[in-house]
Amino acid sequence: RFGPYKFDNTVPTAGTMTMKLDTSSGAAYTNDTWTNHNVYIALNNDAQDAHSGVKGTTYTVNGGTATSNPTTLTETGTYTIVVTTTDNVGLTTSSTYTIKIDKVNPIAATLTMKLDSSSGTAYTNNTWTNHDVYIALNNDAKDEHSGVKQTTYTVNGGAATSNPTTLTETGTYTIVVTTEDNAGTSYNEAGNKA
């Protein structure tokens, strides 16, 4: 007498990851988006195999050593997380997650400052003049990781704008340029005075 025979040629369903900002109780991190927070990662106990059963689930970070232990990613960079589930006959399946962390300040844009108009002669920062001063943002903000989201400036703490303007009234003006990256980190370049 022979049998019963047990045959499993169906790959398991891969387990999933919990990804949270900062700690295991933090807000959810959305896969493949930029953040300026640490990202806590842990395997969920949800892998499935309807036939031979799940033998185990592990994950690797950037091709490193496989583990099943939770960890927190803290450094700026892009991380590829591969979750692999193996069933009891050795069949495997994987799912991939991408975590992007950018904790480095962007480099703020600079200003063009000209006497009277956009075609006037250059205005020297922090000097007195009896001319109007035209100001405009230069397109030179930089962020090596997540990229520049936006750059604005304020004049004497007023509303933020990215549009050119001309200062016409007598007085001292403090202009603050703020560049924000796609991870939500902002950098201010203060002290431009006209």
Side-chain angles (χ1 to χ4, degrees):
R1 178 167 185 215
F2 298 99
Y5 297 103
K6 295 181 180 181
F7 183 70
D8 180 359
N9 67 349
T10 304
V11 296
T13 301
T16 60
M17 299 276 323
T18 291
M19 299 182 292
K20 301 276 189 169
L21 297 176
D22 298 314
T23 66
S24 62
S25 60
Y29 167 78
T30 302
N31 183 49
D32 202 17
T33 61
W34 285 101
T35 183
N36 56 10
H37 293 264
N38 295 336
V39 178
Y40 167 87
I41 58 174
L43 287 171
N44 296 319
N45 189 20
D46 60 353
Q48 297 179 5
D49 186 272
H51 303 287
S52 64
V54 173
K55 181 176 182 181
T57 300
T58 59
Y59 69 92
T60 60
V61 177
N62 290 344
T65 303
T67 185
S68 58
N69 298 321
T71 193
T72 301
L73 305 173
T74 61
E75 300 296 321
T76 292
T78 300
Y79 298 88
T80 301
I81 314 298
V82 178
V83 176
T84 302
T85 297
T86 305
D87 69 13
N88 284 305
V89 296
L91 297 173
T92 63
T93 190
S94 298
S95 57
T96 302
Y97 299 86
T98 302
I99 296 174
K100 299 175 182 179
I101 300 174
D102 182 359
K103 294 183 179 182
V104 178
N105 288 338
I107 297 171
T110 59
L111 284 175
T112 292
M113 297 189 290
K114 302 269 188 162
L115 297 176
D116 299 315
S117 70
S118 62
S119 59
T121 59
Y123 166 76
T124 303
N125 187 35
N126 205 19
T127 62
W128 287 100
T129 182
N130 58 0
H131 294 266
D132 294 342
V133 178
Y134 167 87
I135 57 174
L137 286 171
N138 294 317
N139 189 22
D140 59 355
K142 293 184 179 108
D143 187 274
E144 293 181 19
H145 301 285
S146 63
V148 172
K149 179 178 180 182
Q150 69 177 355
T151 298
T152 58
Y153 68 91
T154 60
V155 177
N156 289 344
T161 185
S162 58
N163 298 320
T165 193
T166 301
L167 306 174
T168 60
E169 300 295 322
T170 298
T172 301
Y173 297 88
T174 300
I175 302 158
V176 178
V177 177
T178 302
T179 295
E180 181 183 2
D181 67 18
N182 287 305
T185 304
S186 294
Y187 183 73
N188 298 330
E189 188 66 44
N192 294 297
K193 293 191 178 191

